[in-house]
Amino acid sequence: MKVSNKTKRNINFTLIFIGIACIIARTLNVISDPESGKAWFELFGIIVLTYICFDSFMTYHRRVKNGIASGDH
């Protein structure tokens, strides 16, 4: 069973919103304790993960826009 590119795009779109909410939460942690290495590490990590989701979203967005229903042709 193949998952369509439209479904993959929508999943990544949802993950971007979750990532943004996490970035806000991690930013508040950094603001409350700017000397904490753990808070900075968590903020950096969620920014990277959100970027990966955004990059994946853009890939699937282009495929859907070009009419590629599934796969990577």
Side-chain angles (χ1 to χ4, degrees), residues 20-36 38-40 42-44 46-47:
I20 290 169
C22 290
I23 288 172
I24 292 168
R26 297 298 140 222
T27 301
L28 294 175
N29 285 349
V30 169
I31 290 170
S32 69
D33 188 11
E35 299 298 318
S36 172
K38 180 182 176 192
W40 283 103
E42 289 176 347
L43 177 61
F44 175 74
I46 195 63
I47 288 172

Side-chain angles (χ1 to χ4, degrees), residues 18-73:
I18 293 169
I20 290 169
C22 290
I23 288 172
I24 292 168
R26 297 298 140 222
T27 301
L28 294 175
N29 285 349
V30 169
I31 290 170
S32 69
D33 188 11
E35 299 298 318
S36 172
K38 180 182 176 192
W40 283 103
F41 182 75
E42 289 176 347
L43 177 61
F44 175 74
I46 195 63
I47 288 172
V48 170
L49 290 173
T50 303
Y51 173 76
I52 291 169
C53 290
F54 176 75
D55 187 50
S56 185
F57 167 78
M58 291 306 295
T59 299
Y60 291 119
H61 176 71
R62 279 189 234 95
R63 289 180 186 171
V64 169
K65 187 175 179 181
N66 291 333
I68 302 170
S70 64
D72 57 356
H73 297 95

